Amino acid sequence: MLIDLHYRDGRVGPTWLARELFISRRQLDRAFAGHPSVAEMLARRRLRQVVLIAAHNPAIPMSEIAMRCGYGTYETFRAHCHRYLRCSPRAARDRGLVRRTLATAA
């Protein structure tokens, strides 16, 4: 899927995807009616990647990882953590560390 290939590019969003698919933004929105929107799918993909990288590299600042994964600002990343994970960025990283530790111990 195009989102998985290009999520790290901060310019990628619903308008970009519509252009890549040679359809209007309205057609794209209609195609996703009743499903998570393109923006939500993109946000979740970026968020998943930030948490994964942060769990494996706790010394790298979360803000740097968020920028590498396509977030324009740390504030947007923080808002997505609270919205989708219902926790702070630090708690999300710590959860990832716990899961990684449990997975390697099993």
Side-chain angles (χ1 to χ4, degrees), residues 7-10 45-74 77-78 81 89 92-93 97 100:
Y7 72 91
R8 288 186 173 149
D9 185 342
R45 178 66 175 100
R46 286 177 173 153
L47 184 58
R48 186 177 334 122
Q49 194 64 26
V50 172
V51 172
L52 179 68
I53 292 171
H56 284 75
N57 303 289
I60 301 173
M62 296 282 282
S63 58
E64 185 178 325
I65 297 169
M67 296 300 233
R68 287 183 193 173
C69 290
Y71 281 104
T73 65
Y74 182 77
F77 164 66
R78 185 172 36 100
C81 274
R93 180 185 58 208
L97 285 170
R100 190 177 110 212

Side-chain angles (χ1 to χ4, degrees), residues 4 6 9 13 16 18-19 22 42 44 46 49 67 79 94:
D4 288 331
H6 300 283
D9 185 342
W16 177 89
R19 228 181 1 256
F22 301 102
L42 184 59
R44 288 179 184 271
R46 286 177 173 153
Q49 194 64 26
M67 296 300 233
D94 292 346

Side-chain angles (χ1 to χ4, degrees), residues 2 7 10 14 21-22 25 29 32 36 38-40 43 61 67 69 71 78 82 88-89 101 103-105:
L2 285 173
Y7 72 91
L21 295 172
F22 301 102
R25 172 70 193 270
D29 290 342
F32 281 85
V38 171
E40 185 175 341
M67 296 300 233
C69 290
Y71 281 104
R78 185 172 36 100
H82 287 284
S88 69
T101 303
T104 56

Side-chain angles (χ1 to χ4, degrees), residues 27-38:
Q27 287 174 306
L28 182 68
D29 290 342
R30 276 190 291 213
F32 281 85
H35 301 283
S37 68
V38 171

